[in-house]
Each structure stands twice: as structure tokens, then as C-alpha cells.
Amino acid sequence: MADNWVMQMDEVPTYVPGIPYQENDNAEATNESSAPLDNVLPDDILERILALLPVASIFRAGAVCKRWNHVVNSERFLLSFTTELSPQKPWYFMFTGNEDPVGFAYDPILRKWHGFDLPCIEATNWFVASSFGLVCFMDNDTRTRLFVCNPITKDWTQLLPPPDGIFPDYSALSVSVDRRTHDYTVTLVKTKQVPGDFQQWNLSIHIYDSDMRSWMSPAEEVLVGWRGGDESIICDGVLYCLIYSTAVVGSSETRHALIMYELQSRSSHVSFLQNLIHVPCSLTCGRLMNLNEKLVMVGGIGKPDRPDIIKGIGIWELHKSEWREVSRMPHRYFQGFGEFDDVFASSGTDDLVYIQSYGAPALLVFDMNQKQWKWAIKCPVTKRFPLQLFTGFSFEPRLEVNP
């Protein structure tokens, strides 16, 4: 476990190609009257300038000279590395193996893929959630091993096992980081079928508070006709969870819906189905994300006569209890994926939405502000066998937040 982040002089992280700074003892003396500009800049000004760089460029800057290396490793620099001064676009980590959690991270600012090692995670089928520079992992075998880490600094911590040792049929993991205090909340929504009754499912909410370093389980309800799944998100203090109809596939309007829970209330007197929010159209799958404290859903649009067959992809934003369509993927991009499954990977942060087919390493990016679709630079990996799967997740690269 890394207690402190230190950018070493003699190493450059694997995801940033470059050569570490080495002082040249044989270099000819330079003209003293032409001192470099950075030599006359005070440290605080230089810190503010370097903090404007993309994260990958900051690592490179630390290899330029001794002074820059000292500056980017200073505690004061991390304090200046704030959201307002150093906004960062979210990266997308793509797993390139079916089992081993290896892969590449896409940097949308530099438009490059970086070789990248993730801490803690041991398999690609682990649950993943992210928020403001922190990523939460949970193993899929026991669903009791949870880790929170900063993938950039490699600092990490292991959480206490969640309460209620019952192994659920479905689990949904979420995390939310306070951008001011850096405290974080982890939620785990467990769903288990009532024995002998496919129409009834027990759904429980478990909340971890990093400040208290403990779990609590404030809410539980038996859903009739609905079950939980593996999709949830925390947005503006509210936990949203996508649920699925247990009825026979038919009418598209009742296949998916959204339930919500106010995290601050910690109330046990709730009825999840009382304030049910239905999805805007027939969906083959739905992916929830928090974009600047606005709930956004990316969904596979099903055919009217065959709601389980995907015909396109849409993006919607929730306003109170009403969905508003943001955009639909142009058909040329939909076709560009080749064979597209009814389910797919999608996640986003800030103002970017990433969409990826499980069957290929192609990555499509949608900019919420510009309403623009574009392909990411091709990932440096090729499909080696027909059943090779690709998936991933987005996270915000930050230096100043640690678990």
C-alpha cells in the first residue's frame, strides 16, 4: 500500500513514455546572461503553471530537471492541483484480457493510449465504480473484498467486509467522493430471490462512510414483480438503481425502471416502488453515470416488435422524474462497431461518455457539451480469438485525492 505519492527521479510511470531527467556533467557551460525563464519564476508561480498540464504531462515535467521534479513532488503542488485550477478530462481504462486485469488507458486530452497497471484488482470480472479520482473494486467470487484506490498515485486501502454475509444473486456497486473534503461514500445494493418465488426479490442497501470507517444497512424491501441488477450510481446525494421486470418479455415499457434512495436520510421507512421512474423507451440494457451531478443514462434501444434486439443507442438525462433525450448515436457510428451485442459497456465522467462493444476494442466518445460523436484513437491491441471480450470503465485522473 502506498502511503505517499512520490514521483521518483529515476523512473517514469509505465503509462507515460519518456526519458527521466539525467544531469549532464559534461555539458558545456551556458551563457549566464541567458538564464532559462523558469529559473526566474518563483516556485508558487511555477506550481500554478505546471498544475495546468494534463496529468500525463506532469509526470513528464518531473523528468525535465531537478527543480521541476522537486516542485511536482511537493505537498504544496498537490494543494494547488485543484479541480478549478487543473481540470482533467476523464480517462477510459480498457481491459484487454478475458481474465487478467491488464490493459490500456485512453487520455482524451493527449489522444493517446497509455500502458497502465491497476492496483488491487485481480480479475476483469470484478465490480468497478469510480468518482473524482478514486476507483472502488469488489471481487466477484465472495463480494466481500472491497478496495478503494487512486489509479494514478497507486495509493489504496481495503474496506471492511460489508454486513449481511448473505451472497446475493445480483450486486450493484457505487462510490461518491466529496470534492472538497475528499471523504467518500460507497454503496452496495444486494438483491436475492425469495426462495421458491421468482416474482419476489429482497433488495437491501448497504452504505460505507469513509469518515466513520464503518458500514450501515438502513433500507431493505421485498420487491414484487421487479428485481435489482448490477447497475447503480450516486448523483447529488441520491442513490439510483436500475431494476428489471420479472414479467415475461413483452411490453417494452415495463422491462426497466429506476428506483432512488436519499443517502442523507438513512431512512428505513421507504417504499422503493412508490416513486418508480420508468425508462423512456424499450431498452436492451441501460448504463447509469454521474456527469457533473446530473444523472445520465446510455441505453440500447430495442426494436418495437423485438424489444430484446438492439437497433440503436440513445443518451438521456433525468430532470426530476422526466427523461430528456440528449442524443442518439448516428447510424454510421453504430455500424462502425461491426457486430454490436444487445448489451455493451458504457461509462462517463465530467462531460464525456464512453461507449464500447464487448466484441471489439473500438471506443466511441460523446461530448455532452458539444453534442459531438467521435472515435477514440485506435487502441494498440488486436482481437486474438473470436470469444475474446473487451470492457472497461472511466475515471478522472487526479493527484490530490487518496483513499
Side-chain angles (χ1 to χ4, degrees), residues 221 223 259-261 268-276:
E221 183 180 349
L223 306 182
I259 60 173
M260 64 180 79
Y261 179 77
S268 59
H269 304 288
V270 294
S271 175
F272 297 126
L273 300 182
Q274 186 174 0
N275 298 312
L276 202 65

Side-chain angles (χ1 to χ4, degrees), residues 118-120 133-137 147-157 401-403:
L118 292 171
C120 308
L134 295 185
V135 178
C136 183
F137 296 116
F147 302 86
V148 176
C149 73
N150 181 324
I152 298 296
T153 67
K154 311 303 185 193
D155 192 15
W156 60 273
T157 188
V401 55
N402 286 304

Side-chain angles (χ1 to χ4, degrees), residues 90-204:
W91 288 13
Y92 187 86
F93 182 88
M94 183 184 296
F95 294 105
T96 56
N98 276 16
E99 296 181 1
D100 295 331
V102 296
F104 295 87
Y106 177 68
D107 181 343
I109 296 180
L110 300 181
R111 289 182 61 79
K112 290 184 177 180
W113 288 92
H114 306 302
F116 200 86
D117 295 324
L118 292 171
C120 308
I121 186 171
E122 298 172 7
T124 58
N125 66 348
W126 280 31
F127 295 84
V128 183
S130 69
S131 173
F132 188 60
L134 295 185
V135 178
C136 183
F137 296 116
M138 181 177 72
D139 79 303
N140 193 34
D141 293 332
T142 68
R143 303 187 189 179
T144 60
R145 300 174 59 210
L146 286 95
F147 302 86
V148 176
C149 73
N150 181 324
I152 298 296
T153 67
K154 311 303 185 193
D155 192 15
W156 60 273
T157 188
Q158 184 170 3
L159 307 185
L160 294 171
D164 177 14
I166 299 175
F167 188 84
D169 294 305
Y170 298 94
S171 300
L173 181 68
S174 300
V175 62
S176 178
V177 179
D178 187 304
R179 292 176 177 261
R180 182 180 61 84
T181 66
H182 297 172
D183 291 333
Y184 56 89
T185 300
V186 175
T187 61
L188 180 58
V189 181
K190 294 184 176 184
T191 305
K192 190 169 182 64
Q193 181 183 350
V194 173
D197 191 343
F198 185 72
Q199 292 295 314
Q200 297 191 54
W201 296 77
N202 184 277
L203 186 145
S204 59

Side-chain angles (χ1 to χ4, degrees), residues 76-376:
R76 191 168 66 176
F77 176 76
L78 293 182
L79 294 176
S80 68
F81 192 86
T82 61
T83 307
E84 294 76 16
L85 181 61
S86 183
Q88 301 289 325
K89 293 291 185 181
W91 288 13
Y92 187 86
F93 182 88
M94 183 184 296
F95 294 105
T96 56
N98 276 16
E99 296 181 1
D100 295 331
V102 296
F104 295 87
Y106 177 68
D107 181 343
I109 296 180
L110 300 181
R111 289 182 61 79
K112 290 184 177 180
W113 288 92
H114 306 302
F116 200 86
D117 295 324
L118 292 171
C120 308
I121 186 171
E122 298 172 7
T124 58
N125 66 348
W126 280 31
F127 295 84
V128 183
S130 69
S131 173
F132 188 60
L134 295 185
V135 178
C136 183
F137 296 116
M138 181 177 72
D139 79 303
N140 193 34
D141 293 332
T142 68
R143 303 187 189 179
T144 60
R145 300 174 59 210
L146 286 95
F147 302 86
V148 176
C149 73
N150 181 324
I152 298 296
T153 67
K154 311 303 185 193
D155 192 15
W156 60 273
T157 188
Q158 184 170 3
L159 307 185
L160 294 171
D164 177 14
I166 299 175
F167 188 84
D169 294 305
Y170 298 94
S171 300
L173 181 68
S174 300
V175 62
S176 178
V177 179
D178 187 304
R179 292 176 177 261
R180 182 180 61 84
T181 66
H182 297 172
D183 291 333
Y184 56 89
T185 300
V186 175
T187 61
L188 180 58
V189 181
K190 294 184 176 184
T191 305
K192 190 169 182 64
Q193 181 183 350
V194 173
D197 191 343
F198 185 72
Q199 292 295 314
Q200 297 191 54
W201 296 77
N202 184 277
L203 186 145
S204 59
I205 294 176
H206 310 273
I207 305 171
Y208 179 87
D209 187 317
S210 68
D211 187 38
M212 302 297 293
R213 297 183 180 275
S214 62
W215 289 90
M216 64 180 303
S217 304
E220 183 175 4
E221 183 180 349
V222 174
L223 306 182
V224 179
W226 297 90
R227 65 161 178 82
D230 57 5
E231 196 69 30
S232 68
I233 197 72
I234 300 171
C235 187
D236 198 22
V238 178
L239 171 65
Y240 295 91
C241 185
L242 197 65
I243 60 174
Y244 307 82
S245 172
T246 59
V248 176
V249 175
S251 173
S252 62
E253 297 180 358
T254 59
R255 293 191 64 201
H256 301 81
L258 207 63
I259 60 173
M260 64 180 79
Y261 179 77
E262 292 278 354
L263 292 176
Q264 289 296 328
S265 70
R266 299 291 199 271
S267 174
S268 59
H269 304 288
V270 294
S271 175
F272 297 126
L273 300 182
Q274 186 174 0
N275 298 312
L276 202 65
I277 300 175
H278 288 280
V279 297
C281 65
S282 168
L283 296 181
T284 61
C285 72
R287 304 292 180 237
L288 305 177
M289 54 201 73
N290 179 343
L291 303 187
N292 296 317
E293 298 307 324
K294 295 179 180 178
L295 178 65
V296 172
M297 180 176 66
V298 178
I301 302 172
K303 294 182 177 181
D305 57 335
R306 292 288 304 277
D308 55 331
I309 302 297
I310 191 170
K311 71 170 186 177
I313 292 177
I315 300 177
W316 298 267
E317 185 177 307
L318 186 66
H319 292 258
K320 296 184 178 179
S321 59
E322 177 186 349
W323 291 104
R324 297 181 184 176
E325 185 171 308
V326 177
S327 180
R328 293 204 180 192
M329 183 187 297
H331 192 61
R332 67 180 186 275
Y333 289 108
F334 185 75
Q335 288 183 318
F337 282 103
E339 184 179 351
F340 207 97
D341 293 331
D342 300 326
V343 294
F344 53 86
S346 182
S347 62
T349 307
D350 192 22
D351 57 359
L352 295 185
V353 174
Y354 292 102
I355 299 175
Q356 178 189 2
S357 167
Y358 290 135
L363 182 65
L364 187 63
V365 187
F366 178 74
D367 190 307
M368 291 284 289
N369 291 334
Q370 300 179 8
K371 302 296 186 290
Q372 182 182 33
W373 298 86
K374 62 182 177 181
W375 293 105

